[in-house]
Amino acid sequence: MTRWMTLGCAAVVVCGHAAWAHAQTATAVTPAPAAAAAAATGTQDNRMVLADNESFLMPLDDMKNVHPGYPENLLGLNLPPRTVCLRVGIDEKGAVTVVARAPTSEFCPKGAEPEFLAASETAARTWKFDPALRCVFRNTKDKDRAVASCDGGKGIPQAVTLVYRFRFEQVNGKPNVHVIGG
């Protein structure tokens, strides 16, 4: 069984959670070259459109990707939770190419201390991924048979931009950083 098939099967199990997570994190997938333009302008007009015989697999993050640390100089301030949102551009090889602040929204408030933004950007720039794939099948039946994989079709690596939300908080005096999205 390939890595994609194993992870794809796991993804099918969590589909219900994915819809909720999508709403919570405002995840956006945009193809290149729109990915770079969207990151620079904050727009999401060029969303990928798939044909009936195509499907899409999100990029898989490397298990070694590290979360940002809570800035030590802010620990003693006992700040309430802070959130930073970033757009992370990922190329066809899975490398991070763009890291930029995401537009302000209901889930991405403005106003976190610059140290939180810097910690988030530094961590995101080190991340690695298996690339996103546009799966092209001969027909819709072949597509339907491929459960969360490109099996029976052709996987074409795609550059994408994803939005990640970093939530910095202190729980019982200990720093916690949650990364949501992708």
Side-chain angles (χ1 to χ4, degrees), residues 86-156:
L86 295 178
R87 288 182 182 268
V88 178
I90 303 163
D91 70 13
E92 295 90 349
K93 294 178 182 176
V96 172
T97 57
V98 176
V99 174
R101 180 179 282 183
T104 302
S105 72
E106 176 184 358
F107 301 108
C108 297
K110 190 176 183 179
E113 286 72 9
E115 293 91 340
F116 292 122
L117 177 62
S120 301
E121 289 175 335
T122 299
R125 283 190 181 99
T126 68
W127 290 352
K128 304 214 179 319
F129 295 82
D130 283 345
L133 295 174
R134 179 190 294 250
C135 303
V136 181
F137 300 93
R138 288 177 298 183
N139 53 53
T140 57
K141 286 184 181 182
D142 286 350
K143 173 188 158 188
D144 294 341
R145 279 193 281 269
V147 179
S149 75
C150 290
D151 284 351
K154 180 179 180 181
I156 303 168

Side-chain angles (χ1 to χ4, degrees), residues 5-16:
M5 288 177 63
T6 303
L7 293 170
C9 291
V12 169
V13 172
V14 295
C15 277

